[in-house]
Amino acid sequence: LRNIKLTIEYNGTAYKGWQVQTKKACSRAKTIQETIERVLYRMLGERVRVAASGRTDAGVHAKAQVANFKTHSLITPEKLQEGLNGLLPGDIAVVEAKEVDAGFHSRFSAKSKIYRYTILNRLCRSAFLKETAYFCRYPLNVRLMRQEARSLRGTHDFKAFQATSKKEKKSIRTIERIDIIRDHELIHIDIEANGFLYTMARSIVGTLIDAGRGKLQRGALKKILDSKDRKMAGPTAPACGLWLMEVKYD
Amino acid sequence: LRNIKLTIEYNGTAYKGWQVQTKKACSRAKTIQETIERVLYRMLGERVRVAASGRTDAGVHAKAQVANFKTHSLITPEKLQEGLNGLLPGDIAVVEAKEVDAGFHSRFSAKSKIYRYTILNRLCRSAFLKETAYFCRYPLNVRLMRQEARSLRGTHDFKAFQATSKKEKKSIRTIERIDIIRDHELIHIDIEANGFLYTMARSIVGTLIDAGRGKLQRGALKKILDSKDRKMAGPTAPACGLWLMEVKYD
């Protein structure tokens, strides 16, 4: 059985996410996983299960989601990539396909992940970025946001930024870095961590936006983190601004 | 009569262009100009003619198209912008509205324009840039493209890069600069000129792409320019990669 690693780019707008999270009714038609598995079945004549580094929510995008699957097929990685890109819808693209060691698992072998949250921070909506950035018309103070973000770095219990609907038992994670970058009208918040709780990235971003708008006192992020209470944190920022940028392996 | 200047961003994918160029049948529904004039009529109760700095073709985008119109209305520019952005479709946004001198004309007052052509230069198509960049899977040699582009700078007769279907009498223009910028998998070709002949930017780009692929001899761009013969130049690059970035005034 061969083990194939895929690096996948997708615009999540039309999808329920990588994999369905809950049984709640959702207007979006399908998941990214299903869409890829269906095309692989067509190509390989074999039902395979494509496991990703992690789920992404409905509307979240990826520049480089990593997934892998086991197959009996002898197809070359080049032919596989070409075939997938020919048959997949335009909003999903396979940027790399390669054969890897049997022991490689996209999720369990991952050392860290980098998410980027993109905010369009200007007075007027964009004709281009509606699906791929969060539009915030209030001027954000990036310096303040950076100061507040500092207290999130390192190893902490991130319970305060975890969705109340879906709690994981262990809520300790390590944030290696949070960078806040201004690029003209855009603000990017890059977070690298060894793992993310459900909606953790978006809850942190929503709270940092509150800080950037001047709605919080200095040191608020530290207090929120220490409280371990989701009610203390800001709103969960909308999915459209979130991008899975990279999954790191050894 | 007040003179209002609008700076407009649009994704041209769904439009026949700023204004219809020819009477040829076109599957796209409407022009950007019509769409804006219709909304202004709804808002102001007055038929106005919105004149742009120049037409853009079907599928061409703008980050900052400039247009102006005369009105009897006393609406403030702020209210006008807000109203337009509320009523216009999501792929058109008014980034600025202001009242200007009666003598200002978006086209006749323009000193120069900057177009950007964006190429996605990698092996695999993009899940995001289908509408807004031209996908070229052949590796392009940016250094070669820059060398060839040099001969286009300055004042020349650009007849060789003019659409044969629609010739303007005077084909002498001045290119102030051509910059070719590599940004990871993207290549941007920025051209600033005092005016552009019909399809001139895209014909230049198509020829530079041929140069970047190594299909032309050194010095070919100079020879093509001197020939004043459209048949010597490369293909007209697709509209989707072209962006009107800026219109400069005194």
Side-chain angles (χ1 to χ4, degrees):
Chain A
L1 220 59
R2 296 162 72 213
N3 191 11
I4 307 288
K5 177 187 175 210
L6 301 176
T7 306
I8 307 160
E9 193 179 85
Y10 50 81
N11 179 330
T13 309
Y15 297 91
K16 282 189 282 190
W18 173 264
Q19 183 187 334
V20 188
Q21 303 266 5
T22 64
K23 290 196 174 169
K24 240 190 278 173
C26 182
S27 62
R28 299 180 225 230
K30 51 202 173 310
T31 67
I32 293 144
Q33 187 190 8
E34 262 164 51
T35 307
I36 296 171
E37 287 174 356
R38 205 164 297 168
V39 170
L40 283 170
Y41 179 59
R42 236 180 105 182
M43 287 177 64
L44 312 175
E46 187 187 28
R47 295 244 173 249
V48 298
R49 179 101 311 197
V50 180
S53 70
R55 297 165 171 191
T56 53
D57 289 352
V60 171
H61 316 294
K63 278 298 286 175
Q65 170 70 286
V66 175
N68 72 302
F69 67 94
K70 307 279 172 94
T71 180
H72 292 280
S73 160
L74 297 174
I75 191 169
T76 66
E78 295 72 31
K79 288 276 173 213
L80 182 75
Q81 184 187 3
E82 215 177 289
L84 281 166
N85 286 329
L87 294 169
L88 283 168
D91 50 11
I92 304 178
V94 175
V95 294
E96 196 189 53
K98 65 182 210 183
E99 191 166 350
V100 289
D101 289 343
F104 175 84
H105 189 285
S106 56
R107 184 162 156 224
F108 303 122
S109 312
K111 293 298 163 214
S112 72
K113 273 191 237 177
I114 301 172
Y115 274 99
R116 162 168 284 192
Y117 197 91
T118 297
I119 302 164
L120 175 69
N121 191 32
R122 68 177 194 185
L123 290 170
C124 143
R125 64 175 175 77
S126 165
F128 296 97
L129 306 175
K130 196 183 173 190
E131 294 181 352
T132 53
Y134 168 58
F135 168 45
C136 174
R137 66 171 73 243
Y138 309 102
L140 297 177
N141 183 331
V142 166
R143 211 170 36 79
L144 262 179
M145 292 166 79
R146 283 193 194 116
Q147 274 169 16
E148 291 296 315
R150 241 179 253 154
S151 51
L152 302 177
R153 277 182 206 139
T155 303
H156 305 282
D157 185 341
F158 284 96
K159 206 171 268 164
F161 298 101
Q162 178 176 32
T164 46
S165 61
K166 192 169 168 255
K167 282 183 191 155
E168 283 157 270
K169 273 180 202 140
K170 291 175 185 167
S171 47
I172 291 170
R173 296 290 183 278
T174 301
I175 291 186
E176 329 265 358
R177 62 182 182 91
I178 302 195
D179 293 331
I180 305 179
I181 303 148
R182 186 180 275 282
D183 173 16
H184 304 276
E185 306 162 333
L186 299 177
I187 296 170
H188 303 295
I189 303 176
D190 289 350
I191 309 178
E192 176 169 358
N194 66 348
F196 288 84
L197 303 167
Y198 185 54
T199 78
M200 173 175 150
R202 289 159 56 198
S203 306
I204 288 175
V205 168
T207 313
L208 286 173
I209 289 173
D210 277 357
R213 288 180 63 178
K215 289 167 89 177
L216 304 179
Q217 293 195 302
R218 298 283 169 106
L221 267 277
K222 171 101 182 74
K223 281 187 191 146
I224 292 165
L225 180 68
D226 291 345
S227 77
K228 293 173 198 158
D229 179 2
R230 178 65 186 83
K231 289 192 293 292
M232 298 285 285
T236 304
C240 63
L242 191 62
W243 295 69
L244 174 55
M245 298 299 281
E246 195 183 337
V247 187
K248 289 189 179 175
Y249 298 93
D250 270 339
Chain B
L1 219 58
R2 296 161 73 215
N3 191 12
I4 307 288
K5 178 189 175 208
L6 301 175
T7 306
I8 307 160
E9 192 178 85
Y10 51 80
N11 179 330
T13 309
Y15 297 91
K16 282 187 284 191
W18 173 264
Q19 184 187 332
V20 188
Q21 303 265 5
T22 62
K23 290 196 173 168
K24 241 190 276 174
C26 181
S27 62
R28 300 182 224 231
K30 51 202 174 310
T31 67
I32 293 144
Q33 186 189 10
E34 262 164 52
T35 307
I36 296 172
E37 288 176 355
R38 205 165 295 168
V39 170
L40 284 170
Y41 178 61
R42 237 178 106 181
M43 287 178 64
L44 311 175
E46 188 187 27
R47 295 244 173 248
V48 298
R49 178 100 314 196
V50 180
S53 69
R55 297 165 172 190
T56 53
D57 291 352
V60 171
H61 316 293
K63 278 298 287 177
Q65 170 69 288
V66 175
N68 73 301
F69 67 94
K70 307 281 173 91
T71 179
H72 292 281
S73 160
L74 299 173
I75 191 168
T76 65
E78 294 73 31
K79 288 275 172 214
L80 181 75
Q81 184 187 2
E82 215 176 290
L84 280 166
N85 286 330
L87 294 169
L88 283 168
D91 51 10
I92 304 178
V94 175
V95 293
E96 195 188 54
K98 66 182 209 182
E99 190 166 350
V100 289
D101 290 342
F104 174 85
H105 189 287
S106 56
R107 183 161 157 224
F108 304 122
S109 311
K111 292 299 164 213
S112 72
K113 274 191 236 176
I114 301 172
Y115 274 100
R116 162 168 284 192
Y117 197 90
T118 298
I119 301 163
L120 175 69
N121 191 32
R122 67 177 193 183
L123 290 170
C124 142
R125 65 174 175 77
S126 166
F128 296 96
L129 305 176
K130 196 183 172 188
E131 294 182 350
T132 54
Y134 167 59
F135 168 45
C136 175
R137 65 170 74 241
Y138 309 101
L140 297 177
N141 183 330
V142 166
R143 210 170 37 78
L144 262 180
M145 292 166 80
R146 284 193 192 117
Q147 274 169 15
E148 291 296 313
R150 242 178 251 155
S151 52
L152 302 177
R153 277 183 206 140
T155 304
H156 305 283
D157 185 340
F158 284 96
K159 206 170 268 162
F161 299 101
Q162 178 177 31
T164 45
S165 60
K166 192 170 168 253
K167 283 184 188 153
E168 284 158 89
K169 274 180 203 139
K170 291 173 184 167
S171 47
I172 291 170
R173 296 290 184 277
T174 301
I175 291 187
E176 329 265 358
R177 62 181 180 92
I178 301 194
D179 292 330
I180 304 179
I181 304 147
R182 186 180 276 281
D183 173 14
H184 304 275
E185 305 163 332
L186 298 177
I187 296 170
H188 303 296
I189 303 176
D190 289 350
I191 310 179
E192 177 170 358
N194 66 348
F196 287 83
L197 302 168
Y198 184 55
T199 77
M200 174 173 149
R202 288 158 57 199
S203 305
I204 288 175
V205 168
T207 312
L208 286 173
I209 290 173
D210 277 356
R213 287 181 63 179
K215 289 167 86 177
L216 305 179
Q217 292 195 302
R218 298 283 169 107
L221 266 278
K222 171 98 181 77
K223 282 188 190 146
I224 293 165
L225 181 69
D226 291 346
S227 76
K228 292 173 198 158
D229 179 1
R230 179 63 185 86
K231 289 192 292 294
M232 298 285 286
T236 304
C240 63
L242 191 62
W243 295 69
L244 174 56
M245 297 300 281
E246 194 183 337
V247 186
K248 289 189 179 174
Y249 297 93
D250 269 341

